[in-house]
Amino acid sequence: MIEQLAAGAALLVLLAAAWSDFRAFRIGNIWPLLLILLFAAYALTGGRIEQPWMHLAHFGVALAAGMLLFAMKWIGGGDAKLYAAIALWFPLSQGAWLLLATTLAGLVLAVVYLLTRRLVPREQRKDRRIPYGVAIAAGAVTAWFLAPGAVNRPIDVNELATGDFHFN
């Protein structure tokens, strides 16, 4: 039961981080930290984790790649930390699904931002940044629910479709 609450809470934390980034272009350190702590709670209370080192490897690879992208000023530091923290919830074998879903969500977000910028007069455009935390959250939720063989789902998609909804 506690592992189910940890997974559900992780979903809410991820959405709160996305909202924070959307609202203020800032992802506080508390959000990735909470995702990491919730993963630890999930793992320690009987969550389905077959190879913990593969989750840790995914976290390490994601953090290193994120810090490299941050150093090149392609993404923000909060984005890098948030992606690495959510990557911890996926084994390395599912890293491609998470990356693909996040990239596609980022593409959709960028197109929406480009199209809506056309509606705002040039003198009122204040910021060219895109809150990529929104794409990270959308990609993570998509991968969490739709990736083949995904584990650690806080909610079963099949139960959502039938209306028989409860936490796993």
Side-chain angles (χ1 to χ4, degrees), residues 51-138:
Q51 298 174 322
W53 57 89
M54 295 303 283
H55 290 262
L56 293 172
H58 190 199
F59 171 78
V61 168
L63 187 60
M67 290 298 112
L68 177 64
L69 293 172
F70 172 69
M72 296 182 338
K73 299 185 191 287
W74 287 9
I75 64 172
D79 299 327
K81 291 180 274 188
L82 182 65
Y83 187 87
I86 199 61
L88 184 60
W89 285 83
F90 295 83
L92 190 56
S93 62
Q94 291 180 356
W97 282 103
L98 178 61
L99 183 60
L100 176 64
T102 301
T103 301
L104 291 175
L107 176 63
V108 169
L109 183 65
V111 168
V112 166
Y113 261 68
L114 286 173
L115 293 176
T116 57
R117 282 181 47 82
R118 293 255 191 232
L119 302 174
V120 177
R122 186 177 299 263
E123 58 274 357
Q124 291 180 354
R125 296 179 197 165
K126 296 178 182 172
D127 209 331
R128 296 182 63 193
R129 296 179 293 177
I130 294 176
Y132 206 72
V134 173
I136 293 168

